[in-house]
């Protein structure tokens, strides 16, 4: 057993540069994410139910919903993660003309074991459409970023860097200002039955497998992020919400990949600055000799810059998973292969988290 927190951070730091050293080159295309819809306040229908959404999406693939189990409710009631099972839709009955041998036995459709999938449904309650808090904006953007990742970027990854595969997805903005973002993904638990859960329980074998996955992921994208159109990158929430979307190209992944970039957490930072009962206030927010806080200093080094800009960080810029933690991975039974999920904070960064 291993205390992952420390080992993880140390290894990651060591690995950040190492991991970025294995690379082929290929041009990549980053198309789009729909932007946050405007939000006219009005009375409206309740959010769609997970089973309705599952049925609609499955039908587009010739599948029928067999069962649905809610695994998790998302932040602030914004949606659900469900495990669903589905079977192929039986072919339409050819009518009563060919009932020559219709014993009860012959009516049983060929046995299809239900296939298991994961449905991630984002359907924030209508009351949130007028909210413009940093947290709300960040969440909505993050779900769109994640869907973009799964539908557009994940399929480019080689099998040696496994992620969930998309079966079907939808991203709809409704007239009443609400949105429905839904994605049906392969159920990783089928091949990776061991959940990472709390970091204390990961074994060294699992930790190394996780680091291998990250190294491969960072390495894969290292050469490719240079081809990204910077205008398509999603800005920090409070900036993004003021962008004029009419001319902007469609959005892709976060400019600031990762969960903790200062620019994406300005409200929390301000709160912390004034919170005298928090042990983190002084170390993180008080000005140093350089007249800025440690947080601001680190942020200025980590902030993603365009490749070739000559900044320290530009050379090592790659795509990050964005929320690396043991709760966001599954491993094979022997722990030797790992798969990460939860790509809401994927974006550019230095490959250190
Ligand atoms: C019905 O199907 C069974 C098994 O395929 C076959 O043995 C039998 O002859 C069929 N009966 C008719 C009426 O077609
Ligand atoms: C201030 O910090 C304390 C201790 O970490 C925390 O419990 C509290 O919720 C914080 N207050 C605010 C307003 O964030």
């Amino acid at each position: 057993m291993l205390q992952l927190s420390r080992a993880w951070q140390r290894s990651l730091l060591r690995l950040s540069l190492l991991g970025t050293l294995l690379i082929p080159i290929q041009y990549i295309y980053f198309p789009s994410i729909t932007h946050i819809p405007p939000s006219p306040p009005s009375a409206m229908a309740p959010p769609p139910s997970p089973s309705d959404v599952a049925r609609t999406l499955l039908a587009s693939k010739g599948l029928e919903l067999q069962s649905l189990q809610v695994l998790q409710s998302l932040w602030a009631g914004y949606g659900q993660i469900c495990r669903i099972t589905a079977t192929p839709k039986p072919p339409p009955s050819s009518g009563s003309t060919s009932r020559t041998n219709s014993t009860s036995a012959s009516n049983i459709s060929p046995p299809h074991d239900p296939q298991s999938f994961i449905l991630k449904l984002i359907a924030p309650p209508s009351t949130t459409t007028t909210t413009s808090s940093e947290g709300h904006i960040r969440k909505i953007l993050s779900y769109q970023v994640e869907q973009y990742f799964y539908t557009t970027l994940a399929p480019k990854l080689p099998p040696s860097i496994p992620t969930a595969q998309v079966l079907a997805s939808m991203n709809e903005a409704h007239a009443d200002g609400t949105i429905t973002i839904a994605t049906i993904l392969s159920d990783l638990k089928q091949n990776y039955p061991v959940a990472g859960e709390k970091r204390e329980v990961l074994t060294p074998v699992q930790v190394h497998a996780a680091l291998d996955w990250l190294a491969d992921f960072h390495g894969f994208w290292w050469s490719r992020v240079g081809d990204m159109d910077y205008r398509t990158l999603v800005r920090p929430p409070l900036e993004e919400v003021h962008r004029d979307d009419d001319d902007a190209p469609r959005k892709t992944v976060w400019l600031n990949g990762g969960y903790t970039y200062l620019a994406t957490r300005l409200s929390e930072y301000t709160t912390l600055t004034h919170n005298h009962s928090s042990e983190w206030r002084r170390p993180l927010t008080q000005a140093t000799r350089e007249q800025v806080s440690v947080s601001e200093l680190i942020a200025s080094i980590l902030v993603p810059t365009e490749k070739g800009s000559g900044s320290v960080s530009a050379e090592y810029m790659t795509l990050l998973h964005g929320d690396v933690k043991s709760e966001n991975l599954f491993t094979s039974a022997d722990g030797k292969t790992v798969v990460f999920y939860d790509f809401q904070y994927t974006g550019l960064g230095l490959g250190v988290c």
Side-chain angles (χ1 to χ4, degrees), residues 185-237:
L185 297 158
S186 54
D187 184 357
L188 296 171
K189 273 224 155 180
Q190 304 298 305
N191 295 321
Y192 303 89
V194 183
E197 294 177 1
K198 298 295 171 206
R199 59 192 176 202
E200 290 83 8
V201 305
L202 287 189
T203 66
V205 172
Q206 290 172 312
V207 171
H208 283 116
L211 292 174
D212 283 343
W213 188 97
L214 289 167
D216 288 346
F217 187 83
H218 296 157
F220 179 84
W221 295 112
W222 192 32
S223 64
R224 292 167 170 85
V225 292
D227 298 320
M228 292 177 69
D229 179 349
Y230 262 58
R231 292 168 309 158
T232 67
L233 296 171
V234 181
R235 309 283 142 168

Tab-separated table of all heavy atoms in Angstrom, residues 185-237:
chain	number	residue	atom	x	y	z
A	185	LEU	N	-21.684	6.080	-22.917
A	185	LEU	CA	-20.291	5.629	-23.023
A	185	LEU	C	-20.204	4.144	-22.728
A	185	LEU	O	-21.072	3.582	-22.045
A	185	LEU	CB	-19.443	6.382	-21.992
A	185	LEU	CG	-19.345	7.891	-22.174
A	185	LEU	CD1	-18.963	8.566	-20.866
A	185	LEU	CD2	-18.336	8.216	-23.264
A	186	SER	N	-19.137	3.534	-23.222
A	186	SER	CA	-18.908	2.136	-22.863
A	186	SER	C	-18.711	2.048	-21.351
A	186	SER	O	-18.252	2.989	-20.708
A	186	SER	CB	-17.691	1.594	-23.610
A	186	SER	OG	-16.570	2.423	-23.397
A	187	ASP	N	-19.096	0.918	-20.800
A	187	ASP	CA	-19.009	0.712	-19.354
A	187	ASP	C	-17.614	0.163	-19.025
A	187	ASP	O	-17.336	-1.004	-19.235
A	187	ASP	CB	-20.096	-0.268	-18.917
A	187	ASP	CG	-20.115	-0.453	-17.406
A	187	ASP	OD1	-19.258	0.131	-16.704
A	187	ASP	OD2	-21.005	-1.188	-16.933
A	188	LEU	N	-16.777	1.040	-18.508
A	188	LEU	CA	-15.375	0.661	-18.272
A	188	LEU	C	-15.251	-0.492	-17.278
A	188	LEU	O	-14.273	-1.229	-17.295
A	188	LEU	CB	-14.596	1.871	-17.757
A	188	LEU	CG	-14.481	3.036	-18.750
A	188	LEU	CD1	-13.888	4.253	-18.064
A	188	LEU	CD2	-13.629	2.629	-19.941
A	189	LYS	N	-16.247	-0.631	-16.430
A	189	LYS	CA	-16.150	-1.676	-15.405
A	189	LYS	C	-16.127	-3.082	-16.001
A	189	LYS	O	-15.724	-4.037	-15.333
A	189	LYS	CB	-17.315	-1.541	-14.416
A	189	LYS	CG	-16.995	-0.568	-13.293
A	189	LYS	CD	-17.428	-1.127	-11.958
A	189	LYS	CE	-16.620	-0.535	-10.813
A	189	LYS	NZ	-17.035	-1.063	-9.520
A	190	GLN	N	-16.560	-3.205	-17.245
A	190	GLN	CA	-16.538	-4.528	-17.869
A	190	GLN	C	-15.106	-5.072	-17.962
A	190	GLN	O	-14.854	-6.216	-17.647
A	190	GLN	CB	-17.150	-4.472	-19.274
A	190	GLN	CG	-18.564	-3.908	-19.307
A	190	GLN	CD	-19.538	-4.764	-18.511
A	190	GLN	OE1	-19.660	-5.952	-18.753
A	190	GLN	NE2	-20.213	-4.164	-17.532
A	191	ASN	N	-14.200	-4.221	-18.428
A	191	ASN	CA	-12.811	-4.667	-18.585
A	191	ASN	C	-11.879	-4.176	-17.484
A	191	ASN	O	-10.766	-4.667	-17.354
A	191	ASN	CB	-12.260	-4.201	-19.938
A	191	ASN	CG	-12.994	-4.853	-21.090
A	191	ASN	OD1	-13.329	-6.039	-21.024
A	191	ASN	ND2	-13.274	-4.085	-22.130
A	192	TYR	N	-12.345	-3.186	-16.763
A	192	TYR	CA	-11.517	-2.624	-15.687
A	192	TYR	C	-12.356	-2.638	-14.414
A	192	TYR	O	-12.904	-1.607	-14.020
A	192	TYR	CB	-11.075	-1.206	-16.054
A	192	TYR	CG	-10.324	-1.141	-17.365
A	192	TYR	CD1	-11.004	-0.956	-18.568
A	192	TYR	CD2	-8.945	-1.305	-17.409
A	192	TYR	CE1	-10.331	-0.921	-19.773
A	192	TYR	CE2	-8.259	-1.271	-18.610
A	192	TYR	CZ	-8.968	-1.079	-19.787
A	192	TYR	OH	-8.298	-1.047	-20.985
A	193	PRO	N	-12.453	-3.799	-13.799
A	193	PRO	CA	-13.455	-3.952	-12.726
A	193	PRO	C	-13.093	-3.294	-11.400
A	193	PRO	O	-13.949	-3.195	-10.520
A	193	PRO	CB	-13.540	-5.473	-12.563
A	193	PRO	CG	-12.226	-5.991	-13.051
A	193	PRO	CD	-11.748	-5.042	-14.113
A	194	VAL	N	-11.842	-2.854	-11.255
A	194	VAL	CA	-11.443	-2.341	-9.941
A	194	VAL	C	-11.493	-0.813	-9.932
A	194	VAL	O	-10.782	-0.150	-10.682
A	194	VAL	CB	-10.006	-2.803	-9.590
A	194	VAL	CG1	-9.627	-2.326	-8.193
A	194	VAL	CG2	-9.889	-4.310	-9.707
A	195	ALA	N	-12.353	-0.262	-9.089
A	195	ALA	CA	-12.455	1.194	-8.986
A	195	ALA	C	-11.298	1.725	-8.140
A	195	ALA	O	-10.924	1.126	-7.138
A	195	ALA	CB	-13.785	1.582	-8.365
A	196	GLY	N	-10.738	2.864	-8.586
A	196	GLY	CA	-9.607	3.444	-7.851
A	196	GLY	C	-9.993	3.890	-6.459
A	196	GLY	O	-9.261	3.734	-5.502
A	197	GLU	N	-11.167	4.462	-6.355
A	197	GLU	CA	-11.697	4.954	-5.077
A	197	GLU	C	-10.699	5.826	-4.332
A	197	GLU	O	-10.043	6.663	-4.917
A	197	GLU	CB	-12.191	3.782	-4.229
A	197	GLU	CG	-13.400	3.127	-4.894
A	197	GLU	CD	-13.904	1.909	-4.156
A	197	GLU	OE1	-13.348	1.562	-3.116
A	197	GLU	OE2	-14.870	1.316	-4.661
A	198	LYS	N	-10.601	5.613	-3.039
A	198	LYS	CA	-9.757	6.517	-2.253
A	198	LYS	C	-8.280	6.216	-2.491
A	198	LYS	O	-7.881	5.077	-2.646
A	198	LYS	CB	-10.076	6.386	-0.767
A	198	LYS	CG	-11.492	6.762	-0.438
A	198	LYS	CD	-11.767	8.250	-0.712
A	198	LYS	CE	-13.243	8.566	-0.578
A	198	LYS	NZ	-13.648	9.732	-1.376
A	199	ARG	N	-7.506	7.284	-2.478
A	199	ARG	CA	-6.120	7.136	-2.909
A	199	ARG	C	-5.307	6.199	-2.028
A	199	ARG	O	-4.345	5.588	-2.483
A	199	ARG	CB	-5.431	8.485	-2.979
A	199	ARG	CG	-5.413	9.238	-1.664
A	199	ARG	CD	-4.987	10.664	-1.912
A	199	ARG	NE	-5.064	11.417	-0.674
A	199	ARG	CZ	-5.164	12.726	-0.630
A	199	ARG	NH1	-5.197	13.402	-1.737
A	199	ARG	NH2	-5.214	13.353	0.516
A	200	GLU	N	-5.682	6.049	-0.766
A	200	GLU	CA	-4.880	5.208	0.133
A	200	GLU	C	-4.866	3.754	-0.313
A	200	GLU	O	-4.001	2.991	0.088
A	200	GLU	CB	-5.419	5.259	1.568
A	200	GLU	CG	-5.209	6.589	2.260
A	200	GLU	CD	-6.284	7.602	1.894
A	200	GLU	OE1	-7.256	7.202	1.236
A	200	GLU	OE2	-6.117	8.777	2.237
A	201	VAL	N	-5.861	3.345	-1.091
A	201	VAL	CA	-5.976	1.914	-1.368
A	201	VAL	C	-5.302	1.492	-2.669
A	201	VAL	O	-5.273	0.322	-2.997
A	201	VAL	CB	-7.453	1.453	-1.385
A	201	VAL	CG1	-8.127	1.824	-0.087
A	201	VAL	CG2	-8.207	2.024	-2.559
A	202	LEU	N	-4.755	2.415	-3.416
A	202	LEU	CA	-4.069	2.019	-4.641
A	202	LEU	C	-2.765	1.293	-4.298
A	202	LEU	O	-2.044	1.689	-3.387
A	202	LEU	CB	-3.737	3.228	-5.511
A	202	LEU	CG	-4.879	3.925	-6.250
A	202	LEU	CD1	-4.305	4.940	-7.221
A	202	LEU	CD2	-5.763	2.944	-6.984
A	203	THR	N	-2.478	0.243	-5.054
A	203	THR	CA	-1.219	-0.476	-4.852
A	203	THR	C	-0.143	0.163	-5.726
A	203	THR	O	-0.453	0.882	-6.674
A	203	THR	CB	-1.357	-1.949	-5.277
A	203	THR	OG1	-1.572	-1.972	-6.698
A	203	THR	CG2	-2.508	-2.624	-4.556
A	204	PRO	N	1.120	-0.130	-5.434
A	204	PRO	CA	2.191	0.395	-6.298
A	204	PRO	C	1.995	-0.009	-7.763
A	204	PRO	O	2.283	0.779	-8.667
A	204	PRO	CB	3.459	-0.236	-5.713
A	204	PRO	CG	3.130	-0.447	-4.268
A	204	PRO	CD	1.668	-0.809	-4.236
A	205	VAL	N	1.507	-1.209	-7.994
A	205	VAL	CA	1.287	-1.654	-9.381
A	205	VAL	C	0.266	-0.740	-10.065
A	205	VAL	O	0.464	-0.287	-11.200
A	205	VAL	CB	0.791	-3.123	-9.408
A	205	VAL	CG1	0.366	-3.517	-10.826
A	205	VAL	CG2	1.887	-4.054	-8.903
A	206	GLN	N	-0.803	-0.444	-9.367
A	206	GLN	CA	-1.822	0.440	-9.942
A	206	GLN	C	-1.286	1.851	-10.158
A	206	GLN	O	-1.587	2.497	-11.166
A	206	GLN	CB	-3.047	0.506	-9.015
A	206	GLN	CG	-3.847	-0.783	-8.975
A	206	GLN	CD	-4.921	-0.737	-7.894
A	206	GLN	OE1	-4.644	-0.374	-6.760
A	206	GLN	NE2	-6.134	-1.098	-8.248
A	207	VAL	N	-0.488	2.311	-9.215
A	207	VAL	CA	0.061	3.662	-9.340
A	207	VAL	C	0.963	3.754	-10.575
A	207	VAL	O	0.867	4.700	-11.365
A	207	VAL	CB	0.859	4.052	-8.078
A	207	VAL	CG1	1.610	5.361	-8.300
A	207	VAL	CG2	-0.074	4.185	-6.889
A	208	HIS	N	1.794	2.730	-10.757
A	208	HIS	CA	2.667	2.759	-11.935
A	208	HIS	C	1.868	2.684	-13.228
A	208	HIS	O	2.183	3.357	-14.208
A	208	HIS	CB	3.695	1.627	-11.852
A	208	HIS	CG	4.810	1.947	-10.906
A	208	HIS	ND1	5.055	1.229	-9.762
A	208	HIS	CD2	5.731	2.939	-10.926
A	208	HIS	CE1	6.073	1.765	-9.109
A	208	HIS	NE2	6.501	2.806	-9.800
A	209	ALA	N	0.824	1.880	-13.212
A	209	ALA	CA	-0.016	1.790	-14.414
A	209	ALA	C	-0.680	3.135	-14.698
A	209	ALA	O	-0.794	3.558	-15.845
A	209	ALA	CB	-1.068	0.700	-14.233
A	210	ALA	N	-1.097	3.826	-13.632
A	210	ALA	CA	-1.718	5.139	-13.809
A	210	ALA	C	-0.712	6.134	-14.377
A	210	ALA	O	-1.028	6.923	-15.277
A	210	ALA	CB	-2.263	5.651	-12.477
A	211	LEU	N	0.502	6.075	-13.871
A	211	LEU	CA	1.528	6.992	-14.377
A	211	LEU	C	1.860	6.683	-15.828
A	211	LEU	O	2.088	7.589	-16.630
A	211	LEU	CB	2.781	6.896	-13.501
A	211	LEU	CG	2.601	7.446	-12.079
A	211	LEU	CD1	3.830	7.180	-11.231
A	211	LEU	CD2	2.287	8.936	-12.105
A	212	ASP	N	1.866	5.398	-16.172
A	212	ASP	CA	2.104	5.029	-17.573
A	212	ASP	C	1.016	5.613	-18.477
A	212	ASP	O	1.290	6.149	-19.547
A	212	ASP	CB	2.120	3.504	-17.738
A	212	ASP	CG	3.432	2.909	-17.249
A	212	ASP	OD1	4.423	3.673	-17.101
A	212	ASP	OD2	3.479	1.685	-17.016
A	213	TRP	N	-0.213	5.468	-18.020
A	213	TRP	CA	-1.329	5.999	-18.824
A	213	TRP	C	-1.150	7.504	-19.030
A	213	TRP	O	-1.270	8.016	-20.138
A	213	TRP	CB	-2.665	5.721	-18.124
A	213	TRP	CG	-3.878	6.042	-18.945
A	213	TRP	CD1	-4.626	5.163	-19.688
A	213	TRP	CD2	-4.478	7.342	-19.133
A	213	TRP	NE1	-5.660	5.838	-20.321
A	213	TRP	CE2	-5.590	7.167	-20.003
A	213	TRP	CE3	-4.190	8.622	-18.667
A	213	TRP	CZ2	-6.408	8.231	-20.396
A	213	TRP	CZ3	-4.992	9.679	-19.076
A	213	TRP	CH2	-6.093	9.467	-19.924
A	214	LEU	N	-0.839	8.211	-17.938
A	214	LEU	CA	-0.680	9.665	-18.028
A	214	LEU	C	0.489	10.039	-18.925
A	214	LEU	O	0.404	10.965	-19.738
A	214	LEU	CB	-0.485	10.258	-16.633
A	214	LEU	CG	-1.730	10.239	-15.749
A	214	LEU	CD1	-1.360	10.546	-14.301
A	214	LEU	CD2	-2.757	11.250	-16.263
A	215	ALA	N	1.578	9.321	-18.782
A	215	ALA	CA	2.747	9.616	-19.607
A	215	ALA	C	2.413	9.430	-21.081
A	215	ALA	O	2.753	10.267	-21.923
A	215	ALA	CB	3.913	8.704	-19.208
A	216	ASP	N	1.723	8.341	-21.386
A	216	ASP	CA	1.345	8.087	-22.780
A	216	ASP	C	0.388	9.164	-23.292
A	216	ASP	O	0.491	9.629	-24.424
A	216	ASP	CB	0.685	6.712	-22.911
A	216	ASP	CG	1.695	5.581	-22.751
A	216	ASP	OD1	2.920	5.857	-22.808
A	216	ASP	OD2	1.260	4.424	-22.570
A	217	PHE	N	-0.551	9.540	-22.431
A	217	PHE	CA	-1.548	10.546	-22.819
A	217	PHE	C	-0.863	11.888	-23.085
A	217	PHE	O	-1.072	12.522	-24.121
A	217	PHE	CB	-2.580	10.676	-21.697
A	217	PHE	CG	-3.757	11.560	-22.025
A	217	PHE	CD1	-4.843	11.068	-22.732
A	217	PHE	CD2	-3.790	12.888	-21.600
A	217	PHE	CE1	-5.939	11.875	-23.020
A	217	PHE	CE2	-4.880	13.705	-21.881
A	217	PHE	CZ	-5.955	13.198	-22.597
A	218	HIS	N	-0.027	12.310	-22.153
A	218	HIS	CA	0.688	13.583	-22.340
A	218	HIS	C	1.590	13.512	-23.560
A	218	HIS	O	1.690	14.468	-24.323
A	218	HIS	CB	1.515	13.913	-21.093
A	218	HIS	CG	0.681	14.153	-19.880
A	218	HIS	ND1	1.170	14.002	-18.600
A	218	HIS	CD2	-0.616	14.519	-19.747
A	218	HIS	CE1	0.203	14.277	-17.734
A	218	HIS	NE2	-0.884	14.589	-18.402
A	219	GLY	N	2.247	12.382	-23.727
A	219	GLY	CA	3.140	12.223	-24.871
A	219	GLY	C	2.387	12.281	-26.189
A	219	GLY	O	2.826	12.915	-27.141
A	220	PHE	N	1.240	11.629	-26.214
A	220	PHE	CA	0.450	11.588	-27.446
A	220	PHE	C	0.057	12.990	-27.903
A	220	PHE	O	0.138	13.339	-29.067
A	220	PHE	CB	-0.804	10.722	-27.245
A	220	PHE	CG	-1.680	10.640	-28.460
A	220	PHE	CD1	-1.411	9.711	-29.462
A	220	PHE	CD2	-2.761	11.503	-28.623
A	220	PHE	CE1	-2.208	9.629	-30.598
A	220	PHE	CE2	-3.567	11.434	-29.755
A	220	PHE	CZ	-3.288	10.499	-30.738
A	221	TRP	N	-0.371	13.807	-26.958
A	221	TRP	CA	-0.882	15.127	-27.347
A	221	TRP	C	0.196	16.190	-27.451
A	221	TRP	O	-0.049	17.283	-27.972
A	221	TRP	CB	-1.957	15.599	-26.337
A	221	TRP	CG	-3.170	14.733	-26.364
A	221	TRP	CD1	-3.598	13.890	-25.379
A	221	TRP	CD2	-4.116	14.599	-27.439
A	221	TRP	NE1	-4.740	13.241	-25.783
A	221	TRP	CE2	-5.079	13.658	-27.044
A	221	TRP	CE3	-4.227	15.186	-28.712
A	221	TRP	CZ2	-6.144	13.285	-27.859
A	221	TRP	CZ3	-5.288	14.818	-29.512
A	221	TRP	CH2	-6.238	13.877	-29.087
A	222	TRP	N	1.362	15.902	-26.959
A	222	TRP	CA	2.410	16.935	-26.895
A	222	TRP	C	2.675	17.574	-28.249
A	222	TRP	O	2.748	18.781	-28.386
A	222	TRP	CB	3.686	16.321	-26.322
A	222	TRP	CG	4.716	17.338	-25.939
A	222	TRP	CD1	4.505	18.600	-25.485
A	222	TRP	CD2	6.123	17.152	-25.985
A	222	TRP	NE1	5.693	19.221	-25.218
A	222	TRP	CE2	6.710	18.352	-25.517
A	222	TRP	CE3	6.949	16.094	-26.344
A	222	TRP	CZ2	8.084	18.517	-25.421
A	222	TRP	CZ3	8.325	16.265	-26.248
A	222	TRP	CH2	8.879	17.466	-25.786
A	223	SER	N	2.826	16.746	-29.251
A	223	SER	CA	3.115	17.293	-30.579
A	223	SER	C	1.861	17.830	-31.242
A	223	SER	O	1.922	18.608	-32.174
A	223	SER	CB	3.704	16.197	-31.457
A	223	SER	OG	2.731	15.185	-31.640
A	224	ARG	N	0.733	17.404	-30.776
A	224	ARG	CA	-0.510	17.736	-31.471
A	224	ARG	C	-1.146	19.049	-31.013
A	224	ARG	O	-1.898	19.671	-31.765
A	224	ARG	CB	-1.513	16.592	-31.289
A	224	ARG	CG	-1.077	15.330	-32.028
A	224	ARG	CD	-1.907	14.132	-31.585
A	224	ARG	NE	-1.670	12.977	-32.424
A	224	ARG	CZ	-0.671	12.116	-32.255
A	224	ARG	NH1	0.180	12.286	-31.269
A	224	ARG	NH2	-0.513	11.101	-33.068
A	225	VAL	N	-0.896	19.450	-29.782
A	225	VAL	CA	-1.561	20.670	-29.310
A	225	VAL	C	-1.099	21.905	-30.084
A	225	VAL	O	-1.813	22.893	-30.142
A	225	VAL	CB	-1.383	20.916	-27.794
A	225	VAL	CG1	-2.118	19.867	-26.993
A	225	VAL	CG2	0.079	20.980	-27.420
A	226	GLY	N	0.064	21.814	-30.684
A	226	GLY	CA	0.548	22.945	-31.476
A	226	GLY	C	-0.366	23.243	-32.656
A	226	GLY	O	-0.384	24.355	-33.172
A	227	ASP	N	-1.120	22.239	-33.086
A	227	ASP	CA	-2.017	22.427	-34.226
A	227	ASP	C	-3.369	22.988	-33.826
A	227	ASP	O	-4.215	23.238	-34.672
A	227	ASP	CB	-2.253	21.086	-34.935
A	227	ASP	CG	-0.952	20.533	-35.480
A	227	ASP	OD1	-0.147	21.331	-35.988
A	227	ASP	OD2	-0.744	19.309	-35.397
A	228	MET	N	-3.570	23.137	-32.535
A	228	MET	CA	-4.877	23.608	-32.108
A	228	MET	C	-5.047	25.089	-32.384
A	228	MET	O	-4.118	25.868	-32.238
A	228	MET	CB	-5.073	23.361	-30.603
A	228	MET	CG	-5.178	21.902	-30.273
A	228	MET	SD	-5.307	21.633	-28.509
A	228	MET	CE	-6.906	22.288	-28.195
A	229	ASP	N	-6.239	25.447	-32.764
A	229	ASP	CA	-6.572	26.833	-32.978
A	229	ASP	C	-6.883	27.445	-31.606
A	229	ASP	O	-7.847	27.052	-30.958
A	229	ASP	CB	-7.799	26.909	-33.900
A	229	ASP	CG	-8.234	28.344	-34.153
A	229	ASP	OD1	-7.731	29.262	-33.468
A	229	ASP	OD2	-9.083	28.541	-35.032
A	230	TYR	N	-6.064	28.379	-31.202
A	230	TYR	CA	-6.236	28.921	-29.855
A	230	TYR	C	-7.597	29.581	-29.643
A	230	TYR	O	-8.090	29.678	-28.537
A	230	TYR	CB	-5.092	29.891	-29.503
A	230	TYR	CG	-4.037	29.194	-28.681
A	230	TYR	CD1	-3.398	28.061	-29.175
A	230	TYR	CD2	-3.731	29.612	-27.393
A	230	TYR	CE1	-2.477	27.378	-28.417
A	230	TYR	CE2	-2.792	28.933	-26.631
A	230	TYR	CZ	-2.172	27.825	-27.146
A	230	TYR	OH	-1.275	27.142	-26.377
A	231	ARG	N	-8.190	30.041	-30.730
A	231	ARG	CA	-9.495	30.702	-30.580
A	231	ARG	C	-10.591	29.703	-30.192
A	231	ARG	O	-11.662	30.092	-29.748
A	231	ARG	CB	-9.874	31.409	-31.873
A	231	ARG	CG	-8.972	32.598	-32.188
A	231	ARG	CD	-9.218	33.061	-33.615
A	231	ARG	NE	-9.136	31.911	-34.531
A	231	ARG	CZ	-9.691	31.889	-35.739
A	231	ARG	NH1	-10.392	32.900	-36.168
A	231	ARG	NH2	-9.553	30.825	-36.520
A	232	THR	N	-10.328	28.404	-30.405
A	232	THR	CA	-11.352	27.406	-30.071
A	232	THR	C	-11.280	26.968	-28.613
A	232	THR	O	-12.153	26.250	-28.149
A	232	THR	CB	-11.201	26.136	-30.937
A	232	THR	OG1	-9.974	25.479	-30.584
A	232	THR	CG2	-11.211	26.462	-32.412
A	233	LEU	N	-10.231	27.368	-27.931
A	233	LEU	CA	-10.070	26.914	-26.552
A	233	LEU	C	-11.009	27.655	-25.611
A	233	LEU	O	-11.240	28.850	-25.770
A	233	LEU	CB	-8.621	27.100	-26.109
A	233	LEU	CG	-7.623	26.258	-26.894
A	233	LEU	CD1	-6.193	26.660	-26.551
A	233	LEU	CD2	-7.834	24.770	-26.629
A	234	VAL	N	-11.519	26.917	-24.647
A	234	VAL	CA	-12.477	27.488	-23.709
A	234	VAL	C	-11.733	28.288	-22.646
A	234	VAL	O	-10.846	27.765	-21.966
A	234	VAL	CB	-13.308	26.368	-23.046
A	234	VAL	CG1	-14.323	26.963	-22.075
A	234	VAL	CG2	-14.004	25.528	-24.114
A	235	ARG	N	-12.084	29.567	-22.547
A	235	ARG	CA	-11.416	30.468	-21.585
A	235	ARG	C	-11.926	30.216	-20.171
A	235	ARG	O	-12.959	29.583	-19.989
A	235	ARG	CB	-11.721	31.925	-21.941
A	235	ARG	CG	-11.474	32.293	-23.373
A	235	ARG	CD	-10.019	32.483	-23.638
A	235	ARG	NE	-9.717	31.943	-24.968
A	235	ARG	CZ	-8.582	32.143	-25.618
A	235	ARG	NH1	-7.625	32.848	-25.076
A	235	ARG	NH2	-8.377	31.601	-26.799
A	236	PRO	N	-11.260	30.772	-19.188
A	236	PRO	CA	-11.788	30.680	-17.822
A	236	PRO	C	-13.234	31.177	-17.795
A	236	PRO	O	-13.583	32.089	-18.544
A	236	PRO	CB	-10.863	31.605	-17.029
A	236	PRO	CG	-9.584	31.592	-17.790
A	236	PRO	CD	-9.983	31.482	-19.242
A	237	PRO	N	-14.055	30.597	-16.918
A	237	PRO	CA	-15.503	30.841	-16.941
A	237	PRO	C	-15.908	32.311	-17.022
A	237	PRO	O	-16.719	32.682	-17.862
A	237	PRO	CB	-15.988	30.221	-15.635
A	237	PRO	CG	-14.959	29.222	-15.267
A	237	PRO	CD	-13.667	29.673	-15.849
